[in-house]
């Protein structure tokens, strides 16, 4: 580190009151920004749980569908039509619906029921107890052992209960990548049983899961499904569509954005004000440095360096605090929807850098305007 | 070593226009300890600022070590000040959050000398001004006379050819003021250095090798 930057660092660190205020201000701001964006990321991620857990490359749906939770049933002929599209390696139906589980103690608990294609069981979860083929037994259901598992009184293999007045027997326990957003337990069964047990509508296929022969077949398949009057999306496109729904069609995105901006402005005002006071305290000394022979760009380097030091420290502490809070919350609430992603980190870092640049800018304006003659004039 | 010729400087415009210096000539030689004295508003600080490359004159020429300093661009002029001139400001302008050694080392650090070398040279210079026991202290723990000596140490640490002191005794009692100026004359002034002091403290005139008196932006002929 050059001597000038060392001097800048000592000036900053030795003014403990302002240094601590600056770091706390930016830490607080970075913490809130990371917390807000992480919560939103977690919500988006968990709202796409079915897409991620089922793991199909392409999904065919009604064009009005915006999230995987709100499917609009498709007529059976669409499945045949999709299967006949060139480039489709195979296509299978998927049922996603909600069932009402009556527990031993007489209470009811809503649950997500996923009906897998009987022939292929495509989209099946990873088994942790029992065998997947047991799903073909009478009244068989496979229970997902996630954060919502205790809501059905933590059933074991052989436990039975009623789903929509039909007998259901747990034949296996499974694991999925992520829990759903709405805190419902998840049960897998065959497509046939799901459509028999749950209240039928005129059409029953929630989604058609498609495996293209190759990546180059994706666009032609999408076009062909569009020609049928339906919508085919890759898993990524479906996740993006789900994200857009939560971002723009619910108040959630706006609220999170507002809270993030408020956190940004709080950090900006605390850091800007304190840094300005710090520069004001040293302004005559900076003037003396100029008189001695310091060039303006050297003073600018010192100020930018000081602002970046407090910026990066505040960012680091803020992210640490936020990650700690999320980890702590997940210990108590296992399906707490928050996740720190690279995007949330980059977003918080960019905002902290803007705070640092703004703070240093007002300091730089002050210092570059000092006339060394004023140091003589007093 | 320094020749100033025809220096004119005005401040403000229109009715508030003030002429601070009118066609001033001044020369300083190596080995000289020149005092610029005069009442407040006579233009002595303005003249000091112009000859030390801080304030641009409206007209005139300042030649230091054969270089016309006001033909240099701002970066070159800053570099010239750093290499050639040492400054002692009236209010010292020491960084309160740095130690005395770090304060003294600043001109060397600005010259891009290494941190360790700069501090070592600063410690040697503090010994010259008799402050070797105060090396690690911040300036606010020093007396006025000690602060002045730190400021002098900072001004001479890079061994400048010209040392300029602005009212060096203004914040000191009479005895300390005389001690400081006497110290400067005996230990800092030499045949390879010139010193210019702006003051209106008549108690220290005896230490000058030459005195020029200013009034209303003029140097009064024979005024010393």
């Amino acid at each position: 580190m050059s001597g000038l930057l060392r001097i800048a660092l000592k000036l900053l660190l030795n003014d403990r009151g302002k240094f601590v205020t600056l770091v706390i201000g930016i830490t607080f701001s970075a913490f809130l920004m990371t917390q807000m964006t992480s919560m939103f990321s977690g919500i988006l991620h968990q709202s796409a749980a079915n897409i991620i857990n089922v793991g199909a490359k392409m999904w065919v749906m009604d064009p009005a569908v915006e999230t995987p939770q709100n499917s609009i049933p498709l007529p059976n002929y669409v499945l045949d039509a999709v299967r006949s599209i060139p480039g489709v390696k195979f296509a299978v139906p998927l049922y996603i619906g909600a069932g009402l589980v009556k527990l031993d103690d007489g209470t009811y608990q809503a649950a997500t029921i996923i009906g897998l294609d009987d022939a292929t069981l495509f989209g099946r979860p990873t088994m942790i107890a029992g065998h997947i083929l047991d799903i073909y037994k009478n009244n068989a259901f496979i229970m997902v052992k996630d954060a919502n598992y205790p809501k059905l009184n933590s059933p074991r293999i052989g436990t039975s209960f009623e789903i929509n007045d039909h007998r259901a027997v747990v034949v296996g326990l499974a694991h999925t990548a992520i829990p759903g957003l709405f805190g419902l337990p998840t049960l897998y069964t065959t497509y046939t049983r799901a459509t028999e047990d749950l209240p039928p509508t005129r059409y029953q296929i929630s989604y058609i899961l498609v495996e293209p022969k190759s990546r180059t077949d994706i666009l032609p398949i999408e076009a062909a499904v569009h020609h049928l009057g339906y919508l085919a999306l890759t898993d990524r496109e479906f996740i993006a569509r789900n994200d857009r729904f939560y971002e723009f069609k619910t108040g959630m995105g706006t609220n999170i954005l507002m809270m993030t901006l408020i956190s940004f402005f709080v950090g900006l005002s605390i850091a800007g004000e304190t840094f300005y006071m710090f520069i004001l305290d040293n302004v005559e000394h900076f003037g003396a440095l100029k008189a001695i022979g310091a060039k303006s760009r050297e003073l600018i380097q010192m100020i930018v360096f000081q602002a970046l030091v407090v910026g990066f420290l505040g960012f680091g502490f803020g992210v640490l605090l936020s990650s700690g809070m999320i980890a702590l919350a997940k210990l108590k609430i296992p399906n707490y929807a928050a996740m720190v992603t690279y995007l949330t980190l980059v977003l918080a870092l960019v905002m902290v850098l803007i705070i640092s640049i703004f703070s240093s800018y007002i300091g730089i304006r002050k210092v570059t305007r000092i006339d060394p003659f004023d140091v003589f004039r007093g | 070593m320094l020749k100033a010729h025809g220096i004119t400087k005005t401040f403000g415009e229109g009715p508030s226009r003030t002429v601070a210096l009118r066609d001033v000539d001044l020369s300083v030689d190596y080995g000289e300890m020149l005092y610029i004295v005069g009442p407040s508003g006579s233009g002595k600080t303005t003249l000091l600022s112009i000859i030390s490359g801080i304030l641009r004159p409206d007209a005139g020429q300042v030649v230091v070590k054969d270089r016309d300093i006001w033909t240099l661009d701002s970066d070159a002029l800053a570099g010239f000040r750093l290499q050639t001139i040492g400054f002692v400001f009236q209010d010292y302008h020491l960084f309160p959050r740095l130690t005395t050694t770090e304060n003294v080392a600043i001109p060397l650090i600005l010259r891009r000398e290494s941190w360790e070398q700069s501090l070592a040279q600063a410690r040697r210079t503090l010994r010259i001004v008799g402050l070797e026991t105060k090396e690690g202290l911040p300036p606010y723990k020093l007396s006025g006379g000690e602060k002045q000596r730190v400021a002098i140490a900072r001004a001479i640490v890079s061994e400048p050819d010209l040392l300029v002191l602005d009212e060096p005794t203004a914040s000191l009692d009479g005895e300390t003021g005389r001690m400081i100026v006497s110290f400067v004359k005996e230990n800092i002034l030499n045949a390879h250095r010139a010193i210019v002091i702006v003051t209106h403290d008549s108690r220290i005139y005896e230490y000058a090798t030459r005195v020029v008196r200013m009034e209303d932006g003029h140097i009064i002929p024979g005024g010393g």
Side-chain angles (χ1 to χ4, degrees), chain A residues 2-4 6-7 10-11 14-16 18 281-282 284-286 288-298 301 371-373 375-378, chain B residues 11 45-46 48-49 52 54-55 75 78-79 81-82 87-91 93-98 102 106-107 109-110 112 115-116 154 164 166:
Chain A
S2 83
L4 264 185
R6 247 169 127 155
I7 290 285
K10 279 173 176 278
L11 288 176
N14 291 348
D15 193 347
R16 285 204 189 126
K18 290 198 182 62
D281 278 357
N282 289 292
E284 288 187 351
H285 307 308
F286 280 117
L289 281 186
K290 261 187 164 178
I292 290 168
K295 298 173 182 74
S296 285
R297 66 170 176 276
E298 290 170 331
Q301 276 172 14
D371 188 342
F373 178 54
V375 180
F376 270 125
R377 208 158 34 183
Chain B
F11 294 106
T45 297
T46 303
L48 185 74
S49 303
S52 57
I54 282 178
L55 183 66
D75 275 2
R81 287 200 301 269
L82 188 61
F87 292 90
V88 178
F89 306 105
Q90 185 176 341
D91 299 326
H93 289 302
L94 302 172
F95 281 100
R97 311 279 176 193
L98 300 179
E102 288 159 354
I106 280 175
I109 289 165
L110 285 172
R112 307 278 172 187
W115 180 259
E116 289 73 22
R154 181 177 64 184
V164 296
D166 185 27

Side-chain angles (χ1 to χ4, degrees), chain A residues 153-208:
Chain A
N153 295 340
S154 304
R156 295 177 183 176
I157 291 176
T159 303
S160 63
F161 37 62
E162 287 177 21
I163 300 177
N164 290 4
D165 299 330
H166 294 272
R167 184 166 185 267
V169 180
V170 175
V171 296
L173 299 176
H175 166 78
T176 52
I178 47 171
L181 177 64
F182 299 105
L184 295 182
T186 306
L187 290 155
Y188 279 84
T189 188
T190 58
Y191 176 81
T192 305
R193 185 170 303 112
T195 52
E196 282 170 1
D197 286 4
L198 297 172
T201 52
R202 185 172 162 214
Y203 302 131
Q204 292 165 340
I205 300 174
S206 303
Y207 296 98
I208 296 167

Side-chain angles (χ1 to χ4, degrees), chain B residues 35-39 42 44 197 199-200 205 211-215:
Chain B
Y35 280 27
I36 302 173
V37 303
S42 59
K44 51 190 190 301
I197 298 179
T199 185
H200 55 254
Y205 286 3
V211 176
V212 294
R213 186 174 300 278
M214 292 192 70
E215 212 169 288

Side-chain angles (χ1 to χ4, degrees), chain A residues 26-286:
Chain A
I26 295 180
T27 298
F28 180 65
S29 179
F31 162 67
L32 285 177
M33 289 189 291
T34 313
Q35 190 71 16
M36 291 295 137
T37 49
S38 297
M39 275 167 50
F40 196 48
S41 286
I43 288 169
L44 293 183
H45 189 61
Q46 287 188 211
S47 68
N50 285 335
I51 307 172
I52 295 163
N53 291 338
V54 168
K57 287 199 179 82
M58 292 188 78
W59 295 63
V60 175
M61 67 202 77
D62 188 280
V65 170
E66 291 183 291
T67 73
Q69 288 77 29
N70 301 318
S71 60
I72 297 171
L74 306 168
N76 288 341
Y77 81 86
V78 181
L79 177 61
D80 297 330
V82 170
R83 281 175 170 158
S84 67
I85 293 171
V88 171
K89 192 174 177 184
F90 64 83
V92 295
L94 179 77
Y95 178 89
I96 299 178
L100 206 53
V101 178
K102 186 180 180 186
L103 302 172
D104 279 347
D105 59 6
T107 57
Y108 287 87
Q109 167 66 49
T112 300
I113 310 293
I114 298 178
L116 301 173
D117 173 48
D118 295 53
T120 61
L121 299 183
F122 184 68
R124 59 182 172 271
T126 308
M127 298 300 291
I128 54 176
H131 197 281
I132 186 67
L133 293 180
D134 291 341
I135 203 168
Y136 294 118
K137 288 180 179 173
N138 283 342
N139 306 315
F141 282 80
I142 290 169
M143 173 84 215
V144 174
K145 196 171 180 182
D146 61 8
N148 302 305
Y149 170 70
K151 291 178 181 172
L152 293 185
N153 295 340
S154 304
R156 295 177 183 176
I157 291 176
T159 303
S160 63
F161 37 62
E162 287 177 21
I163 300 177
N164 290 4
D165 299 330
H166 294 272
R167 184 166 185 267
V169 180
V170 175
V171 296
L173 299 176
H175 166 78
T176 52
I178 47 171
L181 177 64
F182 299 105
L184 295 182
T186 306
L187 290 155
Y188 279 84
T189 188
T190 58
Y191 176 81
T192 305
R193 185 170 303 112
T195 52
E196 282 170 1
D197 286 4
L198 297 172
T201 52
R202 185 172 162 214
Y203 302 131
Q204 292 165 340
I205 300 174
S206 303
Y207 296 98
I208 296 167
L209 308 178
V210 176
E211 179 71 15
K213 286 177 183 165
S214 69
R215 293 194 63 78
T216 53
D217 290 317
I218 288 174
L219 281 178
I221 292 171
E222 285 182 349
V225 170
H226 180 72
H227 191 66
L228 287 171
Y230 291 90
L231 182 66
L233 298 173
T234 63
D235 51 352
R236 281 167 184 268
E237 288 167 341
F238 195 13
I239 290 171
R241 187 178 176 88
N242 177 63
D243 289 353
R244 279 196 299 277
F245 173 77
Y246 282 97
E247 282 163 3
F248 302 114
K249 296 193 176 176
T250 67
M252 219 180 281
T254 314
N255 286 338
I256 296 285
L257 181 69
M258 279 175 67
M259 284 302 294
T260 307
L261 283 177
I262 289 168
S263 313
F264 170 72
F265 283 114
V266 166
L268 192 71
S269 55
I270 294 175
E273 172 77 13
T274 312
F275 203 74
Y276 185 66
M277 295 298 290
F278 172 74
I279 294 296
L280 273 190
D281 278 357
N282 289 292
V283 75
E284 288 187 351
H285 307 308
F286 280 117

Side-chain angles (χ1 to χ4, degrees), chain B residues 152-201:
Chain B
I152 289 167
R154 181 177 64 184
I156 62 169
V157 71
S158 55
E159 299 182 351
D161 296 275
L162 175 65
L163 192 65
V164 296
L165 295 88
D166 185 27
E167 304 281 6
T169 59
S171 310
L172 305 175
D173 61 74
E175 179 63 21
T176 311
R178 274 195 295 276
M179 272 174 57
I180 289 286
V181 178
S182 158
F183 174 83
V184 168
K185 186 172 183 185
E186 285 167 20
N187 298 283
I188 312 295
L189 182 64
N190 58 44
H192 308 289
R193 180 176 288 152
I195 297 177
V196 178
I197 298 179
V198 161
T199 185
H200 55 254
D201 183 355

